Amino acid sequence: LFTFALEPPYHCSVSGGCTDNMMARGAAITKNGNIRLRWSGWRDDDAGIREYVCEVFLMERYGEELRERYPAVATRRFEPGTTEMDVVLNDPGVYSIVLTVEDSSGPNDGNFI
């Protein structure tokens, strides 16, 4: 017996009736480099959430655009019960936060579980 997980994880705000934050990071502008990131409300009805991957990038100027500078300043993986991450930003600048929500079928939609 195989089960297909054809739908990716989603945030509860998509279906309405939820006030959970996809990602809360505190004040948009701060002089404090100690940041606590929090997320909640992520769901996967078919396969369940396997893990969260949170990455923080310092942005750099590229012509008239900003791009993420690699490698990430911080990268961490979390089990489904963990919904926050503390990060220390040592350099002033603009940062990008990327939260990837992986379901139990893996990183590609439609995998067997």
Side-chain angles (χ1 to χ4, degrees):
L1 176 67
F2 293 99
T3 302
F4 287 90
L6 299 175
E7 298 297 322
Y10 66 93
H11 192 263
C12 61
S13 62
V14 171
S15 58
C18 136
T19 58
D20 291 350
N21 284 317
M22 288 184 187
M23 173 61 71
R25 42 110 180 96
I29 300 172
T30 181
K31 292 182 179 184
N32 183 357
N34 298 310
I35 307 295
R36 174 162 287 167
L37 306 174
R38 292 188 175 110
W39 55 89
S40 60
W42 290 96
R43 310 273 190 270
D44 189 295
D45 300 327
D46 296 329
I49 302 296
R50 181 181 71 187
E51 70 178 356
Y52 299 103
V53 180
C54 190
E55 300 170 286
V56 180
F57 296 93
L58 180 61
M59 303 295 285
E60 64 184 356
R61 186 177 174 172
Y62 185 80
E64 297 295 316
E65 300 176 6
L66 289 177
R67 291 194 179 172
E68 294 167 339
R69 181 189 300 169
Y70 286 86
V73 173
T75 301
R76 295 196 192 111
R77 295 179 179 277
F78 299 96
E79 294 182 2
T82 304
T83 58
E84 66 182 38
M85 171 180 160
D86 290 325
V87 63
V88 177
L89 306 175
N90 294 316
D91 298 315
V94 176
Y95 287 83
S96 167
I97 303 164
V98 178
L99 178 67
T100 304
V101 182
E102 294 286 353
D103 65 21
S104 294
S105 66
N108 298 312
D109 294 334
N111 287 345
F112 301 147
I113 58 170

